């Protein structure tokens, strides 16, 4: 019976320690999140969380930006690496669409950026194909 009480007390004292470790991890993750102030045309500004890009997503972005002639092929240091030239090209592309960020350099993407890039890319691709047919 005595051993059971000791085990019960040990479990009760261990629970707050486990909870504290979990909350410290959550706080650390919140500190690592990057938010930028974004103003869309005809809308109020919002804080958007930038997602950490995977190499596949960055490579896709870089290839589409090259096609749009916003990013030059020689600007890319390494495929799938988000560097200064890529982030400057993304900011330039967003400015063309009328979207401004209160940031000089981006370290991630939002879903809106991906959507606008796809729209611009397919529009430019269709325009180039139509020009070739003429």
């Amino acid at each position: 019976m005595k051993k059971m009480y000791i085990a019960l007390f040990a479990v009760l004292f261990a629970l707050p320690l486990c909870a504290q470790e979990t909350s410290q991890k959550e706080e650390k993750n919140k500190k690592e999140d990057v938010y930028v102030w974004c103003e869309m045309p005809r809308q109020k500004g919002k804080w958007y969380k930038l997602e950490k890009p995977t190499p596949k997503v960055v490579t896709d972005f870089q290839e589409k930006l090259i096609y749009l002639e916003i990013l030059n092929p020689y600007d890319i240091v390494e495929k799938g690496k988000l560097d200064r030239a890529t982030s400057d090209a993304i900011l330039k592309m967003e400015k063309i669409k009328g979207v401004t960020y209160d940031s000089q350099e981006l370290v991630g993407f939002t879903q809106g950026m991906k959507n606008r890039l796809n729209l611009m890319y397919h529009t430019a691709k269709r325009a180039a194909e139509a020009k070739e047919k003429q």
Side-chain angles (χ1 to χ4, degrees):
M1 190 72 165
K2 201 175 196 183
K3 289 181 183 180
M4 190 172 90
Y5 284 126
I6 292 172
L8 184 64
F9 279 125
V11 170
L12 288 176
F13 285 119
L15 287 177
L17 292 175
C18 294
Q20 189 177 12
E21 287 177 14
T22 306
S23 65
Q24 286 175 349
K25 287 179 184 177
E26 289 173 2
E27 285 178 21
K28 186 178 178 184
N29 288 339
K30 285 182 183 178
K31 288 179 186 176
E32 292 176 2
D33 292 343
V34 178
Y35 289 86
V36 290
W37 181 256
C38 174
E39 292 182 23
M40 302 280 289
R42 298 174 301 279
Q43 290 182 7
K44 288 185 178 182
K46 281 186 180 178
W47 286 102
Y48 283 101
K49 180 182 171 185
L50 292 175
E51 301 168 4
K52 289 184 179 179
T54 61
K56 182 182 177 213
V57 172
V58 178
T59 301
D60 185 49
F61 239 97
Q62 288 172 334
E63 288 171 356
K64 288 179 179 175
L65 286 169
I66 289 170
Y67 186 83
L68 294 172
E69 297 175 355
I70 292 173
L71 179 69
N72 297 317
Y74 57 83
D75 286 338
I76 297 176
V77 177
E78 184 181 325
K79 281 279 188 193
K81 182 179 176 187
L82 185 67
D83 59 358
R84 178 65 192 237
T86 308
S87 64
D88 287 347
I90 293 165
L91 288 170
K92 183 177 177 183
M93 175 201 68
E94 292 285 88
K95 197 169 190 176
I96 290 168
K97 285 288 189 180
V99 181
T100 57
Y101 293 91
D102 190 17
S103 173
Q104 296 302 311
E105 187 171 353
L106 297 172
V107 292
F109 304 121
T110 65
Q111 189 58 48
M113 286 179 191
K114 294 175 190 174
N115 295 343
R116 285 186 292 278
L117 175 71
N118 285 329
L119 182 68
M120 281 183 75
Y121 171 73
H122 290 294
T123 303
K125 195 173 179 180
R126 281 195 297 272
E129 289 171 357
K131 192 174 182 181
E132 283 179 8
K133 288 181 182 177
Q134 289 180 349

